[in-house]
Amino acid sequence: MNPFIVLAVIGGYFLLLILISRLTAKGANSDTFFTANRKSPWYVVAFGMIGATLSGVTFISVPGEVGSSAFSYFQFVLGNLVGYWVVAGVLLPMYYKMNLVSIYGYLEERFGPAAYKTGSFFFLLSRTIGAAFRLYLVAGVLQLAFFDAFGIPFWVTVMISILLIWVYTYRGGIKTIVWTDTLQTTFLILAVVLTINYILNHFGWSVGEAFRHITDHADSKIFHWGWKSGNNFFKQFFAGMFVTVVMVGLDQDMMQKNLTCRNVGEAQKNMLWFSASFVVAVTLFLGLGVLLYMFAAQTGTPIPERTDDLYPLLAMNKMSLSIGIAFLLGITAAAYSSADSALASLTTAFCVDFLKFQKRTDDKKEKQRKMVHVGFSVILFFVIVLFRVINDESVVVALFKVAGYTYGPLLGLFAFGMFTKYEVNDRAIPILAVAAPLISWAIDTWSEQLLFGYRFGFEILILNGALMFLGLFLFRKKIFRKLKNVKGV
């Protein structure tokens, strides 16, 4: 694609985002940045969350991964659906009842300051890595589509990408992001629909014929029952459920958007409608994956070594200019819809959890918040460049593998806090939160030798959370103090 067309498309896209930012950031303050003054319409949040949840990982990796693991990812998605229901029914009511800005404030009230800081730290670590993975994808596409033509190095591409996010989020924060996510979701879904339509026209198929060809294809197999396989249904389903609970319900980024709704009822309505839409969207991506492999075979296009490169290769080199533009807008929107909210949530968590903004009334808060925002932008830059050097596997697999380790302690902490009444030695919690992922990694590494050929998939998250829960139980002290005061125990 002509690099000047790429520049025009990306430039126009960001002008739209900046315009939305200016409209939504009028009169903005720290409350606007952190909570959008709790006035977001639930349907706007629900639609925007589709793009934020799918991200560049789904946009590129899921269609490409179809060639390696067929539709087995849909087993994981079915677990996601149940996980969203758990978040809506269990976690959202608790967060609204406590009137939380940072959801990790629950851990301070339940266990103490060390648990609070530990929970927030693991979120900061997890979300930084996740946002870097997602931005790495879009930076790679922009590098191929535009910056390589002018000999501009990758690190400059990354710097420009992050700078653009900073420009439209530094004032309005989460309020701006709720509305920009709506635009980004529109571009993301439109790109997939247009690509599918192009391939159907290429083959001369109706929608019904395409459905039949997809379902008859070997890569459309969904269910796997072999217990040793990493794609086993039960492993995938329960891993999908728990990953959703931690990466949505225990994640400041995703919950911060939900907590901008007017009340818990609207937040729950948002979550339920979003979950149904999410399943439909992922189904489209999986179907697109089969169609892309069919299209590549029919046009004699070699399958790239990295399956993440399949969709970009075909859309920008083998299809029409309009599809190339739609793809470019889609991948940009997909990556930025998750990366921009990640930057805002990282800033929120650090300001609220470590700088105690909620307890301060001084005039330096606004200046410090902007400095923290810049600081996390710089951190993201270095993590993305590092990932460029070391990554050698499918991004979708790498992302959830990392999340399985870093979100596990959060799963154990919240589960122990909500389903037991024990107190815990608060100073031991940071040690346990480091030990659980390390033990999980060791078990995962030698699982085939120790467990008769069993291989862990995404369910490593469940093991990690269980080990954290066990550690907390071993360091329990007594029945929860507040329960004693209420019941006279």
Side-chain angles (χ1 to χ4, degrees):
M1 185 183 295
N2 187 305
F4 292 103
I5 295 177
V6 175
L7 178 62
V9 170
I10 299 300
Y13 173 77
F14 276 99
L15 283 175
L16 272 175
L17 294 182
I18 292 170
L19 176 62
I20 294 173
S21 173
R22 289 181 65 86
L23 293 174
T24 57
K26 290 180 179 178
N29 53 28
S30 290
D31 286 339
T32 306
F33 188 97
F34 297 146
T35 69
N37 305 112
R38 300 200 189 277
K39 294 181 179 179
S40 299
W42 70 267
Y43 45 87
V44 174
V45 178
F47 185 70
M49 279 183 64
I50 297 173
T53 303
L54 292 174
S55 77
V57 173
T58 303
F59 194 84
I60 288 182
S61 291
V62 169
E65 188 68 18
V66 166
S68 302
S69 56
F71 275 24
S72 62
Y73 183 66
F74 195 72
Q75 302 172 119
F76 188 80
V77 172
L78 292 175
N80 293 157
L81 183 63
V82 177
Y84 290 128
W85 297 343
V86 172
V87 172
V90 177
L91 293 173
L92 280 175
M94 181 180 74
Y95 296 152
Y96 269 89
K97 184 177 181 180
M98 297 179 69
N99 195 31
L100 296 176
V101 174
S102 168
I103 62 174
Y104 308 111
Y106 164 78
L107 297 177
E108 182 174 37
E109 182 169 321
R110 178 61 177 86
F111 297 113
Y116 177 34
K117 295 288 197 302
T118 299
S120 185
F121 169 80
F122 271 85
F123 161 72
L124 294 174
L125 176 64
S126 303
R127 184 48 64 183
T128 299
I129 294 172
F133 281 149
R134 291 173 169 93
L135 264 177
Y136 164 80
L137 284 173
V138 73
V141 172
L142 293 177
Q143 186 71 27
L144 291 171
F146 177 75
F147 291 94
D148 275 346
F150 298 96
I152 298 173
F154 181 75
W155 68 268
V156 176
T157 307
V158 175
M159 182 181 295
I160 293 173
S161 298
I162 293 175
L163 178 63
L164 288 170
I165 292 177
W166 186 87
V167 165
Y168 72 85
T169 62
Y170 82 100
R171 288 183 61 200
I174 197 65
K175 182 179 179 181
T176 295
I177 288 163
V178 165
W179 289 96
T180 56
D181 275 358
T182 303
L183 177 69
Q184 291 162 328
T185 297
T186 301
F187 282 129
L188 186 154
I189 298 298
L190 185 62
V192 175
V193 171
L194 290 176
T195 305
I196 290 175
N197 183 65
Y198 179 89
I199 296 174
L200 265 56
N201 289 335
H202 175 84
F203 284 111
W205 293 342
S206 66
V207 174
E209 289 172 326
F211 180 79
R212 187 174 67 254
H213 282 291
I214 291 172
T215 54
D216 290 342
H217 198 277
D219 285 342
S220 66
K221 180 181 179 182
I222 297 176
F223 299 105
H224 298 261
W225 305 104
W227 73 275
K228 291 184 179 181
S229 170
N231 288 329
N232 171 271
F233 170 77
F234 295 104
K235 296 181 188 178
Q236 291 278 304
F237 178 83
F238 287 108
M241 182 175 69
F242 280 95
V243 163
T244 296
V245 170
V246 297
M247 293 188 70
V248 176
L250 307 183
D251 183 279
Q252 176 65 25
D253 185 358
M254 299 304 294
M255 283 296 95
Q256 190 167 353
K257 296 174 184 177
N258 284 271
L259 294 176
T260 66
C261 292
R262 293 181 175 90
N263 53 59
V264 66
E266 291 198 359
Q268 289 176 312
K269 191 185 300 184
N270 147 59
M271 184 62 68
L272 294 176
W273 277 98
F274 154 70
S275 65
S277 304
F278 171 77
V279 173
V280 172
V282 172
T283 302
L284 281 176
F285 277 99
L286 291 170
L288 172 63
V290 172
L291 292 174
L292 288 174
Y293 278 96
M294 289 181 175
F295 183 84
Q298 199 275 336
T299 56
T301 304
I303 303 300
E305 183 178 347
R306 293 179 68 256
T307 59
D308 290 345
D309 295 333
L310 177 65
Y311 190 11
L313 172 68
L314 295 177
M316 301 186 71
N317 296 287
K318 300 295 182 178
M319 298 182 184
S320 67
L321 176 63
S322 59
I323 297 301
I325 291 173
F327 170 81
L328 191 60
L329 282 171
I331 181 58
T332 305
Y336 281 99
S337 64
S338 57
D340 55 14
S341 61
L343 188 56
S345 63
L346 289 167
T347 302
T348 299
F350 191 83
C351 288
V352 174
D353 300 337
F354 290 90
L355 300 182
K356 298 294 184 184
F357 266 39
Q358 296 304 102
K359 298 180 180 179
R360 290 171 49 187
T361 58
D362 58 89
D363 297 332
K364 297 181 179 179
K365 287 171 56 177
E366 195 68 14
K367 182 179 179 181
Q368 284 188 335
R369 192 258 300 166
K370 291 179 180 179
M371 290 176 62
V372 171
H373 202 215
V374 171
F376 276 109
S377 300
V378 173
I379 291 172
L380 278 177
F381 168 79
F382 283 109
V383 175
I384 294 168
V385 172
L386 177 63
F387 184 63
R388 171 81 167 187
V389 175
I390 65 174
N391 182 63
D392 62 353
E393 61 182 313
S394 172
V395 174
V396 71
V397 176
L399 174 62
F400 288 109
K401 183 182 292 184
V402 170
Y405 291 111
T406 57
Y407 278 97
L410 285 173
L411 176 61
L413 270 170
F414 274 85
F416 193 87
M418 295 176 66
F419 299 117
T420 79
K421 298 300 180 182
Y422 289 107
E423 288 186 343
V424 177
N425 185 338
D426 188 44
R427 289 177 295 180
I429 288 177
I431 299 172
L432 296 172
V434 173
L438 289 176
I439 296 172
S440 298
W441 173 81
I443 294 174
D444 183 26
T445 302
W446 290 288
S447 65
E448 291 188 70
Q449 294 90 334
L450 297 174
L451 302 175
F452 309 101
Y454 183 91
R455 288 180 297 168
F456 280 94
F458 296 150
E459 77 277 11
I460 192 68
L461 168 70
I462 303 173
L463 173 64
N464 196 349
L467 289 171
M468 184 67 186
F469 190 99
L470 177 62
L472 293 168
F473 181 78
L474 294 176
F475 280 81
R476 70 192 186 282
K477 294 196 299 184
K478 54 188 175 181
I479 297 296
F480 191 23
R481 181 169 55 249
K482 291 185 178 179
L483 183 67
K484 291 173 63 177
N485 293 338
V486 171
K487 294 188 176 181
V489 176

